[in-house]
Amino acid sequence: MTNLSDRANAAAEELRVIFDFFQTYRKDVVDEDVVADLTFGNPHEMPLPELVETLKTHIEPKRVDWFAYKTSEEEPRKAVAAALGKELNLPFAPEDIAMTQGAFGAIALAFTLLMDPGDECILPVPGWFCYTTILRAQNSVPVTVPLLDDSFNLDIDAIERAITPRTRIVVVNSPHNPTGVVYSREHLTELAAMLERKSAEFGRPIFILSDEPYRRIRFDGVPFTSPAEVYPYTLIDYSYGKILLAPGLRFGYLAICPNMPGEFRAELSQLAVSTQVAQGWGFPDAPMQYAVADLEKLSIDIDALQAKRNRMHDALTQWGYNMTKPAGTFYLWGKAPGGDAVSFTQALAKHGVYVMPGTLLDRPADFRICLTANEGMIEACLPFFEEFAE
Ligand SMILES: Cc1ncc(COP(=O)(O)O)c(C=O)c1O
């Protein structure tokens, strides 16, 4: 490994715990032995028929340049600007939108646009496990700040203490993976006020990267506020992989907050294309771009997801588990009985029930259930959760 670049090794180090998990946890498991796979946000049912129809329609060439090189194309940018503008009540222009390969691509794009080697990015813990890898691959520095213990709100005082002159970005992920918390407008306004004060102190803006791939996956009518609505120096990343439950279709965008002062807004828009070229032509495939206006109308069944959330949450709570009831996302987060996530998840795995130990998210006493499992899997696994309750 040492023959290769330091940053490739540093990126790999951040993922080591995940790769180790993959290599050991499901080693030698054959599909027939899996009772329920509740580990990752992957589909366990056939895709939405409307999604398949849309893809078929847009893969069929209608002009000679159908499969020519594409950057961020005009039509999808217009469609996204209109839809997002309506959703967040902000006047996005097509130039504010960069089409990307999912939220992953948008996050990598934002990091490269805003950060030089040695610059710092503040991240929530627990939180998604790939921010640090993407940062390390470009020699930027992750700075983790734990969320508040009970509410899983951002610890705004702790974020303030973690800010240095090298801080360029604070990542806000709402609805939050893995806790399912959706941050209130008041809470985000408080964060914005602190960031405005710190930006003024250092004489340059600290940006929010609002990681919103679960924005439309919310329960019980919980309202959503994007940080972009309360803080002008915000970039939004989005993925269609969650709402369509098709993460293998790499498709999403990075959106610049239209309230951002003009010189920053214009420069970000201008540099996005060259940065994506530099990131290996990081634009979505042509058919995905043609499909965007149609894909915008599609969604997995959120009511069915909410029913699975209720079923799992209520059953586990009844057996004494300490679970957080998620307001959004497709995850259920809770305390592992006995306080050791690895032994708990291994005990379940012996019975073909797979969940994620919090060890992967820097929280070794907790575990995560992914509700994208189908209803049959959920019913079949419940007796094992009952068996291992404290
Ligand atoms: C919080 C968060 N951000 C970003 C991503 C990346 O999304 P995608 O793979 O759709 O690009 C994920 C995927 O799990 C996620 O949970």
Side-chain angles (χ1 to χ4, degrees):
M1 292 281 271
T2 46
N3 294 323
L4 304 186
S5 72
D6 288 344
R7 57 199 189 126
N9 277 294
E13 185 55 27
E14 295 292 343
L15 277 183
R16 196 167 46 83
V17 62
I18 312 288
F19 287 157
D20 288 353
F21 173 77
F22 266 115
Q23 272 162 17
T24 54
Y25 192 55
R26 291 281 290 270
K27 192 167 170 283
D28 305 328
V29 175
V30 289
D31 280 353
E32 295 83 80
D33 293 337
V34 176
V35 173
D37 185 349
L38 312 154
T39 321
F40 291 103
N42 272 318
H44 295 280
E45 286 165 276
M46 287 303 278
L48 289 174
E50 304 90 322
L51 169 61
V52 178
E53 278 316 304
T54 302
L55 294 176
K56 280 185 188 162
T57 304
H58 293 286
I59 204 159
E60 187 62 41
K62 298 177 183 59
R63 297 188 303 269
V64 290
D65 69 348
W66 204 247
F67 298 137
Y69 278 108
K70 305 293 169 192
T71 58
S72 285
E73 297 298 295
E74 190 56 24
E75 285 307 312
R77 287 174 113 184
K78 270 193 204 157
V80 169
L84 185 62
K86 206 164 152 209
E87 213 175 327
L88 302 184
N89 199 21
L90 285 170
F92 289 94
E95 302 75 50
D96 294 322
I97 311 298
M99 305 309 299
T100 63
Q101 291 169 3
F104 258 105
I107 292 167
L109 173 60
F111 286 167
T112 305
L113 282 168
L114 296 175
M115 302 179 78
D116 284 315
D119 280 344
E120 295 166 12
C121 175
I122 294 182
L123 303 170
V125 179
W128 186 53
F129 42 69
C130 289
Y131 306 120
T132 53
T133 308
I134 304 170
L135 287 166
R136 292 289 187 204
Q138 63 166 50
N139 283 337
S140 297
V141 182
V143 176
T144 49
V145 176
L147 297 172
L148 290 171
D149 267 347
D150 295 327
S151 63
F152 298 117
N153 269 333
L154 300 162
D155 187 340
I156 296 174
D157 291 338
I159 294 175
E160 178 163 6
R161 287 193 298 276
I163 289 175
T164 75
R166 304 279 331 233
T167 307
R168 296 295 274 153
I169 302 179
V170 174
V171 170
V172 175
N173 169 221
S174 173
H176 176 250
N177 172 7
T179 65
V181 167
V182 177
Y183 300 131
S184 72
R185 193 175 194 91
E186 295 69 35
H187 186 50
L188 294 169
T189 305
E190 223 182 293
L191 173 72
M194 184 276 283
L195 291 178
E196 267 159 26
R197 193 157 35 74
K198 295 305 278 185
S199 298
E201 187 181 320
F202 293 121
R204 68 175 193 177
I206 297 167
F207 289 82
I208 287 180
L209 176 61
S210 181
D211 184 20
E212 304 180 6
Y214 303 98
R215 186 176 67 229
R216 294 169 178 170
I217 303 181
R218 305 193 309 280
F219 309 124
D220 305 318
V222 170
F224 174 79
T225 299
S226 170
E229 294 171 61
V230 296
Y231 189 67
Y233 291 97
T234 298
L235 296 174
I236 293 172
D237 70 80
Y238 185 74
S239 169
Y240 291 90
K242 309 296 179 191
I243 194 74
L244 302 174
L245 197 40
L249 295 172
R250 305 301 310 155
F251 192 42
Y253 56 80
L254 184 71
I256 303 162
C257 175
N259 295 335
M260 196 179 295
E263 69 273 26
F264 286 94
R265 187 180 176 194
E267 202 179 346
L268 278 166
S269 176
Q270 205 189 341
L271 289 192
V273 177
S274 43
T275 304
Q276 286 180 274
V277 171
Q279 289 180 331
W281 207 268
F283 307 97
D285 289 339
M288 299 311 298
Q289 298 214 40
Y290 301 133
V292 69
D294 292 338
L295 295 180
E296 268 289 329
K297 297 179 203 135
L298 302 182
S299 169
I300 51 166
D301 185 342
I302 304 292
D303 290 341
L305 189 63
Q306 181 168 322
K308 288 193 278 183
R309 176 203 64 162
N310 291 346
R311 176 80 177 114
M312 279 300 290
H313 174 269
D314 296 353
L316 268 63
T317 305
Q318 173 199 324
W319 297 322
Y321 284 81
N322 182 352
M323 306 302 293
T324 302
K325 194 166 191 178
T329 74
F330 31 60
Y331 307 110
L332 198 54
W333 181 246
K335 302 259 165 256
D340 176 359
V342 170
S343 42
F344 171 65
T345 54
Q346 281 174 350
L348 280 175
K350 288 206 178 85
H351 296 274
V353 177
Y354 296 91
V355 301
M356 181 183 285
T359 335
L360 273 58
L361 302 161
D362 261 349
R363 281 287 174 272
D366 301 332
F367 73 105
R368 190 188 81 173
I369 286 172
C370 184
L371 299 166
T372 58
N374 60 45
E375 280 169 33
M377 285 176 164
I378 288 187
E379 290 308 321
C381 74
L382 282 174
F384 299 106
F385 280 97
E386 184 173 15
E387 185 180 334
F388 293 112
E390 254 174 324

